[in-house]
Amino acid sequence: MPGYIRLVLLTLTSIPSSRTPDATALSYLLHKHPDRVQTFDLAIGTATVLYPEASAEKTTVAVIVDVDPIELVQSRYRRGKSGDNFSLGEYVNDRPYAASSILSVALSKLFRTALTGTCKSHPELVEAELALTVSIPVVPCGGDADLPGRLFEPLGWDVTATPVQLDPHLPNWGNSDFVSLTLTGEHTVQSALRHLYVLLPVLDDVKHYWVGPDEADKLIRVAGEWLVSHPDSALIMSRYLARRRDLVESVVDRLIPEQAEVQIELPRPDPPLARLRVDAVSATLQRLHARTIVDIGCGEGKLIEALMPHAQFDKLVGVDVSARELTRAQRRLKFTEMSDVQRERVSLMQSSATYRDARLKGFDAAVLMEVVEHVDAARLPALVRSVFVDAAPQYVLLTTPNADYNVLYPALAEGEFRHPDHRFEFSRTQFGDWATETARAHGYSVEFEFVGTIDPVLGGPTQLAIFTKEARTS
């Protein structure tokens, strides 16, 4: 598209404060001359530093990171990360456009001296708190617009996180998983850079490089002063260290030696009901002794991730119509770190629940978790045909919201759906009638359960139907 810029951008602005009346102090601390435009090579592209404005009243430094997607993939291969069975996602992703661990690495290279708290020309400025504003137009946060506030506000920042629409011209599409982030507060430059260096990858919940023991050392070195007292310290450690419990425990052991014997409960960043759905489906699949599973509408792969540790499951396949969701699943499941044996057992593929696909045949169980409500009612018969007739697994597990329960959500207006992409939501009666007729018409029996906190009148927030193919009689 002509004129379209695909660059990660961050600006850091200083204005006079009672403690630092001259805003140009920022340029001295960053060791980058305001009159120069400087470009630096990164392992996966280039980073440019320039000053759109530099005066005693206001000084702004801009960091522009131009990510080369091809070089990003090749750098992973050079580190020994082999391909996977959805390799296009390595090339088509949000890394060139959104703040992530790539921006953190760029900040550490561009402002290494400032991060260490060194300024030989003006040493008195190192401990000076400047009136700072950080602006990053595209920050991934998994659709949780409150998360930036939870992470940065305890560190003394005022946070504005504005959700980025999927398409400004089509507002009905809703918001993306990204926010436009603005931070304001009085901090030393060293503290500000350290906060960004640690928390940007935490917001993104993924790193573009291998996380090993040196990352635990780095976290202690950069965040040790404030990490222990942060109310979301467990979440920060877990995400920064790629959910490696051994690394999290090593950080806790060193930062809080007297708590070394305490069992660490790693956070669950997903909403509780989402976790409960995964747990309920996983437990049911184990109870049914299913061995080969296809998760239709797998999204970012949460169910596949939960099933992988169980040796019972010989084959796990995630299916989604969205290439973007498959890319996210690829990251969550750490495809680039899988052995050949693991890749034989776990795979992803692009397909639609409403179209016939021979690849969906032959599985013990098919799962459609929070899928049907995203399908237009007129297309439901096509979904039923593709799952119950063409794929025809022994078991079908299907979850969907219970519309009766919605009155217990105070933020939902009457008649409003839980998600803007929902085409409908079944009441208990509607779901029971639809599932029972679907089972009868296609040679299945069906039983029902609720997932989540059960209200004695309204039932549970999620409805689970378990379809079992009936044995044919001669």
Side-chain angles (χ1 to χ4, degrees), residues 83-164:
D84 51 65
N85 38 359
F86 194 69
S87 57
L88 180 61
E90 295 280 10
Y91 295 89
V92 183
N93 54 60
D94 63 1
R95 301 299 87 182
Y97 314 98
S100 66
S101 60
I102 294 174
L103 180 56
S104 289
V105 170
L107 292 176
S108 70
K109 179 167 184 177
L110 299 174
F111 307 127
R112 186 179 305 276
T113 307
L115 273 164
T116 61
T118 303
C119 184
K120 292 183 180 179
S121 63
H122 293 76
E124 73 282 359
L125 294 178
V126 171
E127 298 299 324
E129 293 187 344
L130 280 61
L132 299 174
T133 298
V134 178
S135 178
I136 313 175
V138 184
V139 177
C141 61
D144 184 356
D146 295 329
L147 183 58
R150 285 171 48 197
L151 295 180
F152 283 99
E153 285 176 358
L155 299 176
W157 294 97
D158 292 327
V159 179
T160 301
T162 305
V164 176

Side-chain angles (χ1 to χ4, degrees), residues 276-277 279-285 287-288 397-402 428 431 446-452 454 459-467:
L276 291 174
R277 278 194 294 264
D279 291 345
V281 171
S282 175
T284 302
L285 290 170
R287 173 173 60 82
L288 296 173
L397 276 61
L398 190 152
T399 75
T400 193
N402 170 16
R428 289 168 293 172
F431 184 55
V446 62
E447 56 183 297
F448 300 93
E449 297 179 5
F450 287 122
V451 179
I454 297 177
T462 292
Q463 307 181 82
L464 167 63
I466 305 164
F467 297 84

Side-chain angles (χ1 to χ4, degrees), residues 275-296 298 301-318 345 363-369 393-399 444 447 449 451 464-468:
R275 184 71 254 173
L276 291 174
R277 278 194 294 264
V278 169
D279 291 345
V281 171
S282 175
T284 302
L285 290 170
Q286 293 176 68
R287 173 173 60 82
L288 296 173
H289 303 291
R291 304 189 69 84
T292 58
I293 315 297
V294 57
D295 183 10
I296 302 172
C298 67
K302 294 176 183 176
L303 177 62
I304 299 291
E305 180 184 41
L307 299 179
M308 285 174 62
H310 299 281
Q312 166 186 330
F313 303 114
D314 297 330
K315 184 177 183 181
L316 299 168
V317 177
R345 179 176 176 244
F363 289 88
D364 293 341
V367 176
L368 292 96
M369 194 165 61
Q394 178 65 34
Y395 304 103
V396 177
L397 276 61
L398 190 152
T399 75
Y444 284 79
E447 56 183 297
E449 297 179 5
V451 179
L464 167 63
I466 305 164
F467 297 84
T468 302

Side-chain angles (χ1 to χ4, degrees), residues 361-423:
K361 293 182 179 180
F363 289 88
D364 293 341
V367 176
L368 292 96
M369 194 165 61
E370 306 300 286
V371 171
V372 295
E373 63 273 11
H374 293 272
V375 177
D376 289 324
R379 296 290 295 162
L380 274 183
L383 179 146
V384 169
R385 184 184 64 247
S386 120
V387 173
F388 290 90
V389 178
D390 298 323
Q394 178 65 34
Y395 304 103
V396 177
L397 276 61
L398 190 152
T399 75
T400 193
N402 170 16
D404 297 332
Y405 200 89
N406 288 354
V407 297
L408 299 180
Y409 294 113
L412 275 183
E414 184 177 356
E416 186 177 0
F417 296 149
R418 296 186 198 175
H419 190 281
D421 189 52
H422 286 184
R423 304 302 198 261

